[in-house]
Amino acid sequence: MTDGLTSEQVAKAQANHVPRRSSRSLSAILRANVFTLFNLVIGVLWVLILAIGEWQDSAFGLVIVANMLVGIIQELRAKRMLDRLAVINEAPVRVRRDGAEREIRPRDVVLGDLILLGPGDRLLVDGEVVRSDGLEVDESLLTGEPDPVHKQPGDQVLSGSFAVAGTGAFVSTRVGTDAYAVKLAEEASKFHLAHSELRSGVASFIKYLTWLVIPIGALLTFSQFQATADLRTAVTGAVAGIVTMIPEGLVLMTSIAFAVGVVRLGRRQCLVQELPAIEGLARVDVLCLDKTGTLTAGGMDLDQILPTAEHLTSYNGPADEPPTSHNGPAGERPATHNLPTGEPPASNDEPIDAALAALAHLDDRPNATAEAIRARYPAAPDGWTVRASVPFSSARKWTGADFGERGAWVLGAPDVLLRGGDSYDRAAELAVTGTRVLVLCRTDSLSGTEHGEARLEPVALVTLKQRLRPDARETLEYFAKQGVTVKIISGDNPLAVSAIATSLGIPGGDRSLDARTLPQDDPAKLGELLDTHTVFGRVTPQQKREFVTALQARGHTVAMTGDGVNDVLALKDADLGIAMGAGSPATKAVAQVVLLDDKFATLPHVVGEGRRVLANIERVSNLFLTKTFYAIALSLIVGLAGVAFPFAPRHSTLTNALVIGIPAFFLALAPTLERSKPGFVRRVLRFAVPAGVLCALAVLVSYWAAHTGTSTLLEHQTAAVITLFLVTWWVLVLIARPLTWWRAALVGSMAVLFGIGLTLPFVREFFALEPGSVTGGLIAVGISILAAILISIAVKVAGTLRT
């Protein structure tokens, strides 16, 4: 199996076909937009009106058809965008076929493939390990066990886990829907609508309104047949009430807002892998950042190699002589390390350069640190044969190897490997400047080092320059203005991280903690420390996860950004996981949002889009449910009183279009910076119920007030329609606040359109409008003004109530 499958074997093997997580099928989109309960009810009523009533009263059916088409088109646009970005986001899989290594798409993996693994690689299929060079696999997303598992040839590996250290290879034994992770959580591997307050709130509205519409609709239908002997009038009145009760555009506008949000973010190379993530964007109040790859750009530069004081003293040099830097050009080693005159060069007897080069070339898949050292030492030194090695991991924070007669060497974090001394102090001084510092040590036992039992001799301090993202400061300033608290959570030295945070102007950047000193079994105390501090260093992957949980327990909505395999657990548990496009495959696989262009500056646009979607859906929900509640109140009163319904379906079509349908479309897509808060359902009901009931009462009073000795039914209905438009138009004004120029223009244009409709003869004829006397019109306007005042007072009072 060292050569992998042949091309002939691949052609016959079972492929790894798994539905994409980020979008749903065309048939699912059609079902969601066409085959709904409300569409069925409205469709039946539409046919009924066409068969019995006047065709002008069937206009509501055309509106439903238009709604379906708009919804389908918008969702298809979002699907195309998601599918395109998902392909870009797919990390290639390294396999060996026909004796050669190659990269293929995940869907092209087949049963029996020889798959190669390195740190950060996600396992897409199940298999059996055939080669392991210190391979460690994190299976916590499947089993909940936090510690990585060392894998040896013959061991089983499962899809859904990911490599955290070492390299290896395995042969796929189960692919596609047979893989463990797919069977365990099939819904997590394809498009799904995860739980969200907004969607569950809209679903609750629909559920309970359905139960209300059925009995109230039956009561209204019965009363209309009792109130008049004319079949056409009775059917028209019943249909008008039932159609108005149905918030047919609410689900549509919700879907459009989400779909447009996906498309807008997609244009910024931001992949939304779960639609409810857009809601999470609006609620975030704490943003946890991993320094490396987020605040700093990918990659580092090897800066200085500083022989330690302890090492210099071992050569009988002056003990107080400060170590100086060794800054040779790439690939070149200077003759000395700038020691005092007469001192032998350290690298003649203690091969610092060779040891660094050898350690940097241990892994076929080097991390950023190893790549920086490789840039200085492009080739591994001769004669340094590896007998045993320990790969780097975020939990250990060091790597090492036994080179036989050359000795055992380790390279890692000074505050992890050392227990005080001059080198420890010198490393701390360097870290305060924001420099990344490593220590190169000799050890008498590689295995003893792993268990903290070996004797370590520090030989040199290695410093690396980190590249700050040019857009980091501006982005962080945006979050500060928006009231989003930033926490820097890093595996690096807390002093170095604090220096970088302070240089970027992060509030509280000077308040840092070493995560090794944090309480282990006291979540409450941990939460307090997280609230009062900003920078945390030497954080393990498991601690990052605990940080997220502790912040959530204190009522925060937490977003976590990261790019490395050490961020996977925290990204998975955060309310919103955001991965950088250049991050590891495992990181991008669990994140809900992926910044494909790797630009930290995209985050403000991501948050802004989430706020826009949620705030605007709340606005349109207020509109649609006000209409629903005034229709319910009207139908209930009319049904119990046994009188005719005050307007026809064409009248509700006109008013609904001008004060709900058209404005809602624009309001659903408007920008906003307001952070969303919990309590969506409660806030909407506090507005819609009193506003809807008062609208209904105003319409009924206006309808009955229009009854005079010579007035006609059309005049009664027109008076009711004028009042209905004016009071619901005022509701629109309240919802559209603050009235920016374009919102004022939108609201004003709806009033102008209604006025034109009342004056143009052919419009009046189509919508059966007959204004009647001036006195009657003024009465309707007066009632509307009084109702508008009462609505303003009622919604303000209701908004101050607490449950």
Side-chain angles (χ1 to χ4, degrees):
M1 286 301 296
T2 56
D3 290 337
L5 298 177
T6 64
S7 299
E8 291 77 11
Q9 291 172 319
V10 169
K12 299 176 182 178
Q14 177 186 347
N16 183 45
H17 293 310
V18 177
R20 277 206 182 96
R21 168 189 179 188
S22 57
S23 71
R24 53 179 171 175
S25 65
L26 174 61
S27 60
I29 291 174
L30 291 175
R31 286 197 303 272
N33 285 277
V34 177
F35 301 108
T36 68
L37 176 60
F38 284 165
N39 282 354
L40 174 63
V41 172
I42 292 176
V44 170
L45 297 178
W46 190 22
V47 171
L48 196 60
I49 284 290
L50 288 173
I52 299 175
E54 298 183 17
W55 69 271
Q56 293 94 331
D57 285 321
S58 67
F60 67 87
L62 299 177
V63 173
I64 297 303
V65 172
N67 284 350
M68 287 190 295
L69 291 176
V70 171
I72 291 170
I73 291 170
Q74 289 293 348
E75 287 210 47
L76 287 177
R77 286 182 64 210
K79 172 181 169 57
R80 285 197 298 271
M81 179 68 75
L82 286 172
D83 288 346
R84 181 178 65 82
L85 295 179
V87 171
I88 296 173
N89 187 51
E90 281 182 347
V93 180
R94 294 187 308 132
V95 300
R96 183 174 288 277
R97 290 178 178 176
D98 295 317
E101 183 179 325
R102 64 182 68 178
E103 291 186 345
I104 62 174
R105 297 178 303 174
R107 72 188 72 178
D108 294 333
V109 172
V110 300
L111 191 66
D113 252 329
L114 180 62
I115 301 173
L116 310 179
L117 286 178
D121 284 344
R122 179 192 178 207
L123 279 74
L124 300 174
V125 297
D126 302 345
E128 180 179 325
V129 176
V130 295
R131 179 174 64 81
S132 174
D133 295 322
L135 180 64
E136 298 178 23
V137 174
D138 190 316
E139 299 177 342
S140 58
L141 297 180
L142 301 175
T143 66
E145 292 296 328
D147 297 327
V149 180
H150 293 265
K151 294 294 184 180
Q152 301 296 334
D155 289 347
Q156 296 295 311
V157 288
L158 299 175
S159 54
S161 55
F162 53 94
V164 293
T167 59
F170 73 98
V171 174
S172 60
T173 56
R174 287 187 295 272
V175 300
T177 54
D178 294 330
Y180 178 79
V182 179
K183 286 185 174 181
L184 184 68
E186 185 176 359
E187 290 304 312
S189 300
K190 62 183 180 181
F191 175 93
H192 66 287
L193 297 178
H195 174 76
S196 73
E197 183 189 2
L198 187 146
R199 285 192 173 274
S200 62
V202 172
S204 297
F205 289 145
I206 301 301
K207 174 183 175 182
Y208 293 115
L209 289 175
T210 301
W211 289 107
L212 284 173
V213 166
I214 293 173
I216 294 176
L219 173 64
L220 178 64
T221 302
F222 176 78
S223 70
Q224 295 306 290
F225 279 98
Q226 292 293 312
T228 177
D230 182 57
L231 177 63
R232 173 180 290 182
T233 303
V235 169
T236 299
V239 169
I242 296 172
V243 167
T244 308
M245 278 190 280
I246 296 175
E248 72 284 346
L250 179 57
V251 176
L252 170 72
M253 288 301 169
T254 302
S255 298
I256 287 178
F258 273 107
V260 171
V262 166
V263 172
R264 283 179 172 175
L265 289 174
R267 289 172 181 161
R268 295 186 178 274
Q269 294 300 293
C270 176
L271 170 62
V272 179
Q273 302 199 101
E274 295 180 9
L275 284 187
I278 291 183
E279 178 180 347
L281 296 172
R283 302 193 189 282
V284 166
D285 64 343
V286 174
L287 175 63
C288 296
L289 302 175
D290 176 50
K291 174 184 67 67
T292 306
T294 304
L295 297 181
T296 60
M300 292 178 283
D301 298 313
L302 180 58
D303 186 21
Q304 296 179 309
I305 301 171
L306 306 171
T308 63
E310 295 94 333
H311 169 63
L312 294 179
T313 303
S314 69
Y315 285 92
N316 300 317
D320 59 349
E321 185 72 27
T324 53
S325 64
H326 163 36
N327 297 308
E332 177 183 334
R333 196 182 97 199
T336 73
H337 285 257
N338 298 322
L339 300 180
T341 304
E343 285 298 318
S347 50
N348 285 346
D349 297 294
E350 297 286 353
I352 295 175
D353 299 325
L356 282 174
L359 289 171
H361 286 83
L362 280 178
D363 200 334
D364 294 335
R365 301 277 299 278
N367 58 21
T369 300
E371 286 181 346
I373 297 174
R374 282 188 177 195
R376 178 77 59 88
Y377 307 104
D382 295 332
W384 287 67
T385 304
V386 179
R387 290 187 177 179
S389 65
V390 177
F392 176 83
S393 76
S394 298
R396 272 190 298 271
K397 304 192 186 305
W398 60 269
T399 184
D402 185 345
F403 296 102
E405 62 183 20
R406 303 283 187 177
W409 296 78
V410 295
L411 178 68
D415 50 336
V416 173
L417 292 173
L418 304 182
R419 298 291 182 269
D422 292 341
S423 297
Y424 183 95
D425 295 338
R426 176 62 174 148
E429 293 173 5
L430 292 168
V432 171
T433 66
T435 301
R436 188 167 194 177
V437 185
L438 303 175
V439 63
L440 175 68
C441 299
R442 271 185 178 277
T443 178
D444 58 356
S445 170
L446 197 61
S447 60
T449 303
E450 192 160 10
H451 297 92
E453 300 168 353
R455 185 181 67 84
L456 295 171
E457 176 195 346
V459 174
L461 296 177
V462 180
T463 66
L464 300 105
K465 288 182 178 179
Q466 303 178 92
R467 310 162 192 164
L468 290 179
R469 290 183 180 272
D471 51 13
R473 177 181 289 274
E474 183 180 351
T475 303
L476 292 168
E477 288 175 352
Y478 165 84
F479 286 116
K481 291 177 182 177
Q482 296 302 313
V484 177
T485 303
V486 173
K487 305 290 182 183
I488 310 299
I489 300 176
S490 175
D492 287 352
N493 186 300
L495 297 176
V497 182
S498 181
I500 290 176
T502 304
S503 70
L504 290 172
I506 297 176
D510 56 332
R511 298 196 299 270
S512 64
L513 278 179
D514 189 321
R516 293 170 296 183
T517 66
L518 294 175
Q520 298 294 320
D521 301 312
D522 190 349
K525 181 62 176 176
L526 177 61
E528 291 178 13
L529 292 171
L530 287 168
D531 265 349
T532 56
H533 292 76
T534 300
V535 175
F536 301 87
R538 295 303 178 215
V539 185
T540 65
Q542 184 61 30
Q543 280 181 310
K544 289 187 178 185
R545 188 181 208 176
E546 292 169 358
F547 284 13
V548 168
T549 303
L551 287 167
Q552 290 169 331
R554 295 180 71 82
H556 295 296
T557 301
V558 183
M560 175 76 195
T561 69
D563 68 335
V565 69
N566 58 324
D567 302 316
V568 170
L569 303 181
L571 287 172
K572 185 70 175 177
D573 285 359
D575 297 289
L576 179 67
I578 303 171
M580 308 304 287
S584 70
T587 305
K588 293 189 287 184
V590 301
Q592 295 160 302
V593 174
V594 182
L595 306 181
L596 295 173
D597 58 3
D598 210 41
K599 290 182 179 178
F600 185 49
T602 304
L603 272 182
H605 300 288
V606 171
V607 173
E609 192 61 35
R611 292 183 175 183
R612 181 196 65 77
V613 169
L614 219 63
N616 293 336
I617 287 178
E618 185 165 327
R619 279 197 175 92
V620 300
S621 296
N622 284 330
L623 271 179
F624 281 103
L625 292 177
T626 296
K627 181 198 76 156
T628 293
F629 282 113
Y630 82 61
I632 288 174
L634 269 178
S635 300
L636 195 58
I637 295 171
V638 166
L640 292 174
V643 297
F645 199 77
F647 49 80
R650 70 185 79 179
H651 297 141
S652 62
T653 299
L654 174 63
T655 56
N656 290 345
L658 293 179
V659 297
I660 297 174
I662 297 173
F665 184 81
F666 290 99
L667 290 176
L669 306 179
T672 181
L673 294 177
E674 180 184 357
R675 188 173 72 214
S676 179
K677 299 176 183 178
F680 163 74
V681 172
R682 187 170 60 251
R683 285 194 304 274
V684 169
L685 290 177
R686 284 175 178 170
F687 184 97
V689 172
V693 170
L694 288 170
C695 285
L697 292 175
V699 168
L700 286 174
V701 170
S702 183
Y703 178 73
W704 289 328
H707 283 70
T708 62
T710 58
S711 60
T712 64
L713 175 62
L714 280 183
E715 290 176 351
H716 305 162
Q717 291 179 331
T718 301
V721 170
I722 291 173
T723 299
L724 177 62
F725 173 81
L726 291 176
V727 292
T728 52
W729 180 82
W730 182 249
V731 168
L732 173 62
V733 171
L734 296 177
I735 290 171
R737 295 177 302 177
L739 290 175
T740 58
W741 70 267
W742 71 265
R743 286 179 181 170
L746 174 67
V747 171
S749 63
M750 296 302 103
V752 170
L753 287 175
F754 184 75
I756 292 174
L758 284 177
T759 57
L760 294 179
F762 70 91
V763 176
R764 289 206 309 268
E765 182 180 355
F766 181 87
F767 286 106
L769 296 173
E770 192 173 311
S773 66
V774 174
T775 303
L778 291 175
I779 292 174
V781 171
I783 293 171
S784 302
I785 292 173
L786 177 61
I789 294 172
L790 293 176
I791 289 171
S792 299
I793 296 172
V795 296
K796 185 173 183 178
V797 171
T800 61
L801 297 177
R802 295 185 179 274
T803 57

